[in-house]
Structure formats: structure tokens, C-alpha cells
Amino acid sequence: MQKREQGKQSGAPGGSATPSAKRGRPFGSGTNSSLAAAAAAAVGDSIAPSTLLGPSLQVHSAFAEQNNKRIVLALQSGLKSELTWALNALTLLSFKEKDEVRKDATPLAKIPGLLDALLQVVDDWRDIALPRVLTKAPRVRSLGANSAVTGFGNGYETLNSGDSIPHPSAGSGSSNKDVSAQKSSTKPRPSGWWFEEDGLFNLDEEGRAEKQLCAVAASNIIRNFSFMPDNEIAMGQNRHCLETMFQCLEDYVTEDEELVTNALETIMNLGPLLDIRIFSSSKPSYIKMTEKRAVQAIMGMLGSAVKAWHCAAAELLGRLILNPDNEPFLLPFAPQIYRRLVDLMSFPAGDAQAAAIGALYNLAEVNMDCRLKLASERWAVDRLLKVIKTPHPVPEVCRKAALILENLVLEPQNKPLLLAYENAFAEMLFSDTRYTDTFARILYELTSRPSSKVASARGIWGM
């Protein structure tokens, strides 16, 4: 049995020595690729390296250092024009094609306060996306608090020439001082207030859609940053970041699909370094996320019918279990996890099978109870054998499936269940030379040390 510590150090879902490959797609593959269309004017000129099939945008080497404060302040301002410029610039700074020849993407450490500023953009959308009973109190904003309009939606149309500064909404992020001052004012509210986020009619759907696009673009940038090894520790230990991402997973039924996908891929990239106990630590909390809610959010994604979501959730569980500190929070959900992972092995998609087997491989190495529950799960052994016999197009997946069977047979209480598959194991022993050693050890464990008299009688080849 391989050591779990090796897998924990390397971060590989299968416990191998090679680092785990991170998942994802280019930023421009989603529905919001238009946000990056105007970035060339802000951060560089368009070039076409000979090694690429399409054009690429060159980012100036000193752009992040020269504009780091401006980028953060633009994100904090809440103004549409400033947010658009900052998001476009950060999209280019955070993303790098696999075979691109330009310089490495800019790490978070070069722009202090950037992660919190990006999370604030997502939180601003989350505030107005939540029902009124769940809307949080206004945040203190240092910039843009005195702006009559932010540029989002129909702000210019609803503000009349004779009106004063509109009353800010609950999710607009204005300061508490301004709110208290306006509550004590005896002047009537401006007519434009009726059309604002907390107004009577709330007709500014265009403004909501624009803020949603900004939140999705910010989540894309956060996801891109999570691919960079320099950012893993900073992001994995940032409670605000993890709480926001897990809350997006919780609301996957109503939230934007790309925002949920970006949040899931961000958490998965940080999985090998993630300690769920951070939600009960002394670090400041923004959303009051708990360890149980976090695991339940992952289980919701695992049970989703969306292929990208349940595959990523299965892979995330396989990475989280590598950290022994996460076991007390994951193992209470073990029966539901095993049932769903066994279901995923029956899917025709190779990605679903690979993700399920990778997670089961790590779970089977945790303790005896995990191996007993997995062996007793209906169809578990049948589908593991089917993946090997088919076989799966990736040989490593077949190898892990065979090793899972070997881990199961090491428990004496599993032998009566596995003896029913003795002929299938013998057939695999002689038919596939790649796994001869593994199935030879399985048959040896089944027949050399019988756990009962019934097992002794049945453990003879040919009977």
C-alpha cells in the first residue's frame, strides 16, 4: 500500500510523485470573453508569435509594478469604467497559454490587496443576488462613496438634474456614515430612488446584469491566479477567498453557471493545500462558513448532473482526503460519497470514471472502515473490474482500479464478498499481462489465509 504522505506532499490525486495537473479552460472560452476584447488598448499591443495558432496580447513587463495601486483602487471604486479597465488588465496579467512564449503571468504578491479587492467585486454581486432577508449590511468603501452614479445600468437616466445624490442600496457598498446621515435627513427622497436596487419598483435589470458580468470576470481572474504555484499558499490560507468560493458552490442552483465553475476550479486547484479547519480558526470571517457547510457544498456539486461539476467535485474530494486533518469532516459523508462515486464509474464518459477512481483510490487508503464500506457498496467491485476489462483509455486509471481491489482484499472481513469474483480475478491474471502482479497478489490474499471454513472450501481454483 502506498503512503498517503507521498501523495500529500506531491499534491497528486493518485498519490504519485508527479505533481497534479490543474484543470480548466482559457478565459475566452466562456460567455464573457467580450470583457477582454478592449484590453489591448490598456495593457499592450497585439502580436502573433510564430509558435501560436492565433494572435496573442503582449503585456509590458513593468505594467503590474507601475499600476498596482491604480488597479486595486479601481476595483474598490465601484465605478463601471474603472472596474472594466482593471478587470481587462488583470485578465491578461493572470492568464498564460500553455505554450505561450511571453513572460510568466503576474503573481498576486506583486499587487498587495488585489485578492481582497477582487473578492469585493464578487461580494457586491452576491449581496444583490441574495434574497432581501439575506442581504448583508453595506460595506465601508473608501472610493466612489460620494458618486451620484456608478455607471452601472440606468443610473444616468434615473438621476434627474434637480435631484440630490441618490440613496444607496443595501448592496452598493457605501459607508455606514452616509447611510445614517440619510436616514436622519428630513428631505424627500429623489425620484430616481424608486428605480434603484432597494427601491419600490427595482427595474434596473441592466445594472444587475452588468454587475453579474463583473463578478464572473473577477472569478475568472481569481481562478487564473489559482493555477500559479506562487499564489497557492496565499489563496489557500485566505479565509475570505475560501468562504466566498464555497458560498458560490452552495448556491449553484440559482447562481451563474460560469461563476460556480470558476469557484469550483479555484477550490480544486487549492485542494492539496486546503485545510477545512480554517473555517473554525481565529481568522476574521466574512460569511460564517462552517466545515460541515463546506463539505455539503461539495456534495451538492458531486450530485449535480453537470459533467464538469461532478467530475471536479470527485477530484476535489480525492485531493482533500490526502490531508489527514480533513478526515473528521469528510468521513461522516463517506456512505454518500461512495454511492455517488460508484455511480460515476458507470458513466460512459472517461472523465467521470477517471475522477471517481482517483477519489476512491485515495479514500481506500485512509483506514479499515473506508475499505469495508467501499467493498460492501453495491456494484463497486463489478464496476472496478469493468473499467479494467474495457479497458479505460488511460492506463493509469486501470492501474489504480486494480490497486483499489488489492487494498480491499487486505481486509479479512472483505474476503467473503470478494471470493465471489475469484474466477474474474483469475481471468484477469492470465488475460492482461499489465496487471498480472496485482491480480496474483489478490488471489494469494484470498486463498492463502482464509477467514472462515466457507472461505476455505470456496478458495480452491476450479471449484
Side-chain angles (χ1 to χ4, degrees), residues 2-211:
Q2 298 185 4
K3 299 293 184 181
R4 294 175 60 217
E5 291 299 325
Q6 296 177 357
K8 181 179 177 183
Q9 294 174 1
S10 63
S16 60
T18 58
S20 59
K22 295 188 176 181
R23 302 163 48 91
R25 64 202 183 290
F27 172 83
S29 64
T31 58
N32 299 315
S33 58
S34 59
L35 288 175
V43 296
D45 299 327
S46 176
I47 61 172
S50 57
T51 57
L52 299 179
L53 297 178
S56 178
L57 292 174
Q58 182 70 29
V59 180
H60 193 273
S61 58
F63 179 84
E65 290 79 358
Q66 295 174 356
N67 298 274
N68 55 358
K69 292 184 179 180
R70 181 188 173 188
I71 291 174
V72 175
L73 293 176
L75 293 172
Q76 294 174 346
S77 68
L79 303 176
K80 179 181 176 181
S81 59
E82 294 294 325
L83 273 173
T84 304
W85 173 83
L87 293 174
N88 286 337
L90 288 171
T91 298
L92 293 178
L93 291 172
S94 64
F95 180 71
K96 180 178 183 295
E97 288 281 5
K98 182 184 298 184
D99 299 325
E100 194 170 351
V101 295
R102 70 173 175 88
K103 71 176 186 63
D104 292 336
T106 303
L108 282 170
K110 289 188 178 181
I111 310 180
L114 175 60
L115 182 57
D116 288 328
L118 287 169
L119 292 170
Q120 180 176 310
V121 177
V122 180
D123 289 340
D124 284 345
W125 158 247
R126 297 284 305 164
D127 285 348
I128 65 176
L130 291 173
R132 291 292 298 169
V133 293
L134 300 178
T135 301
K136 293 189 285 186
R139 290 188 183 83
V140 177
R141 189 189 295 282
S142 57
L143 298 175
N146 298 324
S147 300
V149 289
T150 60
F152 285 97
N154 302 322
Y156 289 103
E157 288 78 1
T158 58
L159 182 65
N160 297 327
S161 59
D163 291 337
S164 58
I165 297 175
H167 174 71
S169 64
S172 63
S174 59
S175 64
N176 293 324
K177 183 184 297 184
D178 294 337
V179 173
S180 60
Q182 292 182 2
K183 283 183 178 180
S184 61
S185 176
T186 58
K187 295 181 180 180
R189 298 185 187 276
S191 60
W193 174 77
W194 300 103
F195 299 97
E196 288 197 356
E197 194 58 50
D198 61 349
L200 180 62
F201 299 106
N202 187 17
L203 298 178
D204 193 5
E205 293 298 329
E206 182 180 352
R208 289 175 58 89
E210 290 172 348
K211 288 187 177 181

Side-chain angles (χ1 to χ4, degrees), residues 252 299-307 309-311 340 344 347:
Y252 73 94
M299 294 300 299
M301 302 303 297
L302 184 65
S304 170
V306 181
K307 174 185 173 183
W309 289 356
H310 59 238
C311 289
R340 179 57 175 166
L344 292 182
F347 286 16

Side-chain angles (χ1 to χ4, degrees), residues 86-401:
L87 293 174
N88 286 337
L90 288 171
T91 298
L92 293 178
L93 291 172
S94 64
F95 180 71
K96 180 178 183 295
E97 288 281 5
K98 182 184 298 184
D99 299 325
E100 194 170 351
V101 295
R102 70 173 175 88
K103 71 176 186 63
D104 292 336
T106 303
L108 282 170
K110 289 188 178 181
I111 310 180
L114 175 60
L115 182 57
D116 288 328
L118 287 169
L119 292 170
Q120 180 176 310
V121 177
V122 180
D123 289 340
D124 284 345
W125 158 247
R126 297 284 305 164
D127 285 348
I128 65 176
L130 291 173
R132 291 292 298 169
V133 293
L134 300 178
T135 301
K136 293 189 285 186
R139 290 188 183 83
V140 177
R141 189 189 295 282
S142 57
L143 298 175
N146 298 324
S147 300
V149 289
T150 60
F152 285 97
N154 302 322
Y156 289 103
E157 288 78 1
T158 58
L159 182 65
N160 297 327
S161 59
D163 291 337
S164 58
I165 297 175
H167 174 71
S169 64
S172 63
S174 59
S175 64
N176 293 324
K177 183 184 297 184
D178 294 337
V179 173
S180 60
Q182 292 182 2
K183 283 183 178 180
S184 61
S185 176
T186 58
K187 295 181 180 180
R189 298 185 187 276
S191 60
W193 174 77
W194 300 103
F195 299 97
E196 288 197 356
E197 194 58 50
D198 61 349
L200 180 62
F201 299 106
N202 187 17
L203 298 178
D204 193 5
E205 293 298 329
E206 182 180 352
R208 289 175 58 89
E210 290 172 348
K211 288 187 177 181
Q212 183 179 10
L213 286 176
C214 288
V216 173
S219 68
N220 266 305
I221 295 168
I222 295 173
R223 166 193 169 276
N224 290 346
F225 277 127
S226 69
F227 282 92
M228 303 159 64
D230 296 341
N231 298 330
E232 289 180 342
I233 297 178
M235 298 179 69
Q237 296 178 354
N238 189 304
R239 184 172 181 175
H240 185 194
C241 177
L242 297 178
E243 286 179 334
T244 301
M245 297 297 106
F246 273 105
Q247 191 191 41
C248 292
L249 299 189
E250 279 188 319
D251 299 333
Y252 73 94
V253 176
T254 58
E255 190 53 88
D256 181 88
E257 291 185 1
E258 187 166 0
L259 180 59
V260 174
T261 303
N262 290 332
L264 180 57
E265 292 180 354
T266 299
I267 297 173
M268 191 179 60
N269 288 340
L270 305 176
L273 301 176
L274 186 59
D275 188 348
I276 305 180
R277 295 178 301 173
I278 192 174
F279 297 124
S280 59
S281 65
S282 58
K283 295 183 178 180
S285 175
Y286 295 82
I287 305 177
K288 303 299 182 184
M289 178 66 63
T290 62
E291 295 90 345
K292 184 177 181 180
R293 283 180 58 189
V295 178
Q296 288 175 337
I298 301 174
M299 294 300 299
M301 302 303 297
L302 184 65
S304 170
V306 181
K307 174 185 173 183
W309 289 356
H310 59 238
C311 289
E315 193 169 344
L316 174 59
L317 288 171
R319 296 184 181 190
L320 289 177
I321 200 63
L322 290 174
N323 186 350
D325 296 329
N326 294 330
E327 292 178 12
F329 310 108
L330 294 175
L331 294 185
F333 296 88
Q336 300 97 301
I337 293 175
Y338 294 143
R339 190 175 303 112
R340 179 57 175 166
L341 293 179
V342 171
D343 288 341
L344 292 182
M345 284 195 295
S346 65
F347 286 16
D351 293 344
Q353 295 177 358
I357 290 177
L360 290 174
Y361 177 82
N362 290 340
L363 287 166
E365 294 187 346
V366 175
N367 53 36
M368 178 184 70
D369 187 61
C370 290
R371 291 186 283 273
L372 295 179
K373 290 181 178 178
L374 177 57
S376 61
E377 185 64 37
R378 187 180 184 186
W379 307 117
V381 178
D382 293 89
R383 289 172 181 170
L384 286 170
L385 285 171
K386 184 178 180 181
V387 170
I388 302 173
K389 290 179 179 179
T390 303
H392 192 277
V394 181
E396 180 68 11
V397 175
C398 298
R399 186 187 70 87
K400 288 182 180 180

